[in-house]
Amino acid sequence: METVSAELNPGYANRWRSLFFICISLLVVSLDNTILNVAIPSISRDLGATGSELQWIIDSYILVFAALLLTLGALGDRFGRKRALQVGLVLFGIGSFAAGISHTTEMLIATRAFLGLAGALILPSTLSIVTATFPREERAQAIAIWAAVFGLGVGLGPLIGGWLIEQFGSWNAVFFVNLPVVVVAVIGDLLFVAESKDPSAPRIDVPGVVLSIIGLFALVYGIIEAGVVGWTEPNVLLAFAIAAVFLGAFGLWESRYPHAMLPMAFFRNMSFTGANLALVLVTFSLFGSVFFLSQYLQSVKGFTALEAGVRILPQALALTFMTSQSARISARLGTKYTVALGILISAAGLFYLSQVLEIDTPYSLIVIGQVLLTSGLGIAISPATNSVMGSVPVQKAGIGSAMNDTTRQLGGALGIAVLGTILNSVYLRGVAPLVTDVRAALENVPTPVVTPEIREQIFTGIERSIQGAVAVAGRISAANPALADRILQESRMAFVDGMHTAMLIGAIIMIGAALLTLAILPAQVQRPALNPIEATPSPTSGD
């Protein structure tokens, strides 16, 4: 049996304690992915943020985070993963405090971007430390726990965010809650996490760093903007063109440079490439679908942020439980069939939701689809992650983890943009007759009562989103309750129709991902050449 020598790896004896505090560090980042969503309405009211500014409050974090993952993962390999984790946590605490005291939208956008930098230090460090600390026979279970905690944090975000806003009456609390978690994580990591790094790390690949940051920033920016303004807008096309040039140059440079930040040889291993492709397609459907479900529960079903968070909780629990069991399933079925099975279960959940979700669907039916969707993801994500990490040398665990995280971010951003565009196009077609009728109805209202500016706000509110339509209905309900009821009913119907189409397409993409997994992912992880630490038997092992 291959294991990690306690003598050569000082983290071996404390590996389970270190995993506990690594998971606390991970919670800081995973909660931040979703906890802010429920605070957007109160941020809009308190800071007077426009729709575009609200979008940038969310997107500034994603842009910086995704653009820096590869670079900071590689730097962690070179200078020390524990050091990168500690620096990231301290910066995250500083950024959270600054975000919590922000008094302008510009300051909040800037501090969110700073949090993206800190998150890009933390996330790849956590997974690479797990990979470097645990012996191969325990690594799959450790990664399963890591993935389960990440999924739990994403699922708990809306619930905790809703509870904090309800208790403290302010959006600032969703940032201040990070501070005690950061303190606990920093102390625990100092005590129990061992340092690890690439002992033969080459000098910094400066051209690779520059090309990857510019290329990834342009790609993620283009994806985000496409979901907002459309895929053929000049700024979107320009961003994609810049991304193609710089990422193409990055690939060419890395394939020829002897000290590449991301060795292109990794992609010849189908355990690495196949698992990364599977993760892109899985997170594509996951992020898009969960994004819709949150809006559906609040804007269609009429639940508050806290009530919606409570109803999203079964997703998080199912994801956490099945992720924790995925290592056992993978040990029986093999990586390929476990990942494919999980994706197919998720596809069934998406297809089910695309058929049953209506305005008046009881929650007892909705939760079945939620649990199916996230149970399948829980089965698939951990073995796919283990496949990525098991296919790169432990010395390169930081860059392997960063690549794994980058594919998730790209898949999630694409899912929200593409499936969001599909939903929005169906929604706009659905509310077009309503807007025409509302326009005609308001023509007869005297100008002093409804000014041209108010008319335009009403029309754009209905067309912008389901949330805008709900706000418009609330605004005119006292003056014209019948029209307000019609706006609510027809906008909700249009949104649900858009969800049907988007989720059906998501299910089809999931089926394609399962077939791709069966076609290219090896049955078991194809290992790289062993490094000396992994090849040394433990004195406590009976082998």
Side-chain angles (χ1 to χ4, degrees):
M1 179 184 293
E2 292 161 354
T3 187
V4 176
S5 168
E7 202 174 286
L8 291 178
N9 187 341
Y12 180 77
N14 283 323
R15 63 197 185 283
W16 293 108
R17 294 187 189 92
S18 73
L19 180 62
F20 176 78
F21 288 101
I22 286 169
C23 287
I24 292 178
S25 307
L26 180 65
L27 267 178
V28 171
V29 178
S30 61
L31 281 171
D32 210 61
N33 277 291
T34 54
I35 197 171
L36 186 63
N37 291 341
V38 296
I40 289 299
S42 57
I43 290 173
S44 178
R45 287 193 303 270
D46 290 354
L47 300 183
T50 65
S52 175
E53 288 171 334
L54 290 173
Q55 188 74 29
W56 273 107
I57 288 169
I58 295 174
D59 292 344
S60 59
Y61 176 87
I62 298 171
L63 271 173
V64 175
F65 184 76
L68 294 181
L69 274 170
L70 280 180
T71 295
L72 297 183
L75 291 179
D77 282 339
R78 178 178 176 82
F79 295 109
R81 295 150 192 154
K82 177 180 177 178
R83 181 177 298 173
L85 176 59
Q86 293 278 287
V87 171
L89 285 168
V90 171
L91 294 180
F92 207 92
I94 294 170
S96 296
F97 179 77
I101 63 172
S102 295
H103 51 84
T104 65
T105 53
E106 292 79 11
M107 183 176 177
L108 187 54
I109 290 169
T111 53
R112 284 280 294 167
F114 185 82
L115 284 169
L117 163 67
L121 275 165
I122 295 169
L123 189 57
S125 299
T126 59
L127 183 55
S128 58
I129 290 171
V130 170
T131 302
T133 302
F134 280 83
R136 184 165 289 171
E137 66 273 12
E138 294 178 347
R139 194 177 298 155
Q141 186 59 47
I143 288 176
I145 294 171
W146 177 93
V149 170
F150 187 87
L152 181 64
V154 170
L156 286 177
L159 176 61
I160 294 174
W163 182 82
L164 287 169
I165 291 171
E166 189 170 284
Q167 292 297 309
F168 296 97
S170 171
W171 56 268
N172 310 77
V174 304
F175 293 106
F176 290 140
V177 74
N178 291 332
L179 300 180
V181 182
V182 165
V183 170
V184 172
V186 167
I187 294 172
D189 293 341
L190 277 172
L191 292 174
F192 297 110
V193 175
E195 184 61 281
S196 65
K197 62 175 72 174
D198 183 352
S200 57
R203 60 181 177 271
I204 297 173
D205 176 11
V206 176
V209 166
V210 173
L211 292 171
S212 69
I213 290 176
I214 296 174
L216 286 171
F217 188 93
L219 177 60
V220 177
Y221 172 82
I223 291 169
I224 291 170
E225 277 293 286
V228 176
V229 301
W231 293 85
T232 57
E233 289 296 309
N235 62 323
V236 173
L237 296 177
L238 178 62
F240 285 143
I242 293 172
V245 170
F246 278 86
L247 291 179
F250 172 73
L252 186 63
W253 171 262
E254 297 294 281
S255 65
R256 297 184 177 184
Y257 185 55
H259 306 298
M261 176 174 70
L262 177 62
M264 291 293 107
F266 287 176
F267 291 95
R268 291 198 291 269
N269 186 333
M270 283 298 103
S271 289
F272 182 85
T273 301
N276 272 307
L277 284 173
L279 285 169
V280 168
L281 295 172
V282 165
T283 53
F284 177 98
S285 297
L286 169 65
F287 275 65
S289 305
V290 171
F291 182 68
F292 303 150
L293 276 172
S294 178
Q295 295 181 69
Y296 169 81
L297 290 171
Q298 293 186 65
S299 298
V300 176
K301 301 296 289 182
F303 296 121
T304 66
L306 179 57
E307 290 169 343
V310 170
R311 285 162 178 79
I312 291 174
L313 186 58
Q315 291 185 187
L317 296 178
L319 177 63
T320 303
F321 177 75
M322 293 310 300
T323 302
S324 67
Q325 300 302 308
S326 61
R328 298 179 184 178
I329 299 172
S330 183
R332 290 192 175 191
L333 300 181
T335 301
K336 175 205 293 265
Y337 298 108
T338 303
V339 174
L341 173 65
I343 294 173
L344 285 174
I345 292 173
S346 294
L350 273 179
F351 179 77
Y352 171 86
L353 288 170
S354 75
Q355 302 303 303
V356 304
L357 289 183
E358 302 293 347
I359 294 176
D360 57 352
T361 303
Y363 178 70
S364 58
L365 293 180
I366 298 170
V367 74
I368 295 172
Q370 290 178 293
V371 169
L372 266 178
L373 171 63
T374 53
S375 293
L377 292 171
I379 293 171
I381 288 176
S382 175
T385 301
N386 187 50
S387 180
V388 172
M389 298 307 296
S391 62
V392 300
V394 171
Q395 295 97 321
K396 299 294 183 183
I399 192 67
S401 173
M403 186 66 198
N404 170 77
D405 298 329
T406 301
T407 56
R408 292 186 193 216
Q409 288 296 316
L410 291 176
L414 271 172
I416 293 173
V418 175
L419 296 182
T421 300
I422 293 167
L423 184 150
N424 194 51
S425 65
V426 176
Y427 173 81
L428 287 175
R429 286 200 302 271
V431 298
L434 171 65
V435 172
T436 300
D437 291 349
V438 171
R439 191 180 295 274
L442 291 180
E443 287 295 330
N444 300 321
V445 178
T447 298
V449 178
V450 179
T451 65
E453 291 79 13
I454 293 176
R455 284 194 182 95
E456 198 57 37
Q457 288 172 12
I458 290 173
F459 305 145
T460 56
I462 295 172
E463 291 177 327
R464 186 178 71 244
S465 65
I466 179 64
Q467 293 87 353
V470 171
V472 166
R475 186 173 181 178
I476 67 172
S477 59
N480 194 332
L483 183 58
D485 286 344
R486 185 185 169 194
I487 290 172
L488 280 177
Q489 184 70 15
E490 294 192 19
S491 62
R492 285 169 171 170
M493 282 290 296
F495 182 82
V496 168
D497 288 344
M499 282 187 68
H500 290 167
T501 304
M503 286 188 162
L504 183 60
I505 291 173
I508 293 170
I509 290 171
M510 284 284 209
I511 293 171
L515 294 176
L516 181 66
T517 298
L518 290 172
I520 68 174
L521 192 66
Q524 297 294 343
V525 179
Q526 293 180 347
R527 308 288 181 186
L530 290 176
N531 62 65
I533 289 180
E534 284 192 300
T536 305
S538 167
T540 60
S541 138
D543 300 334

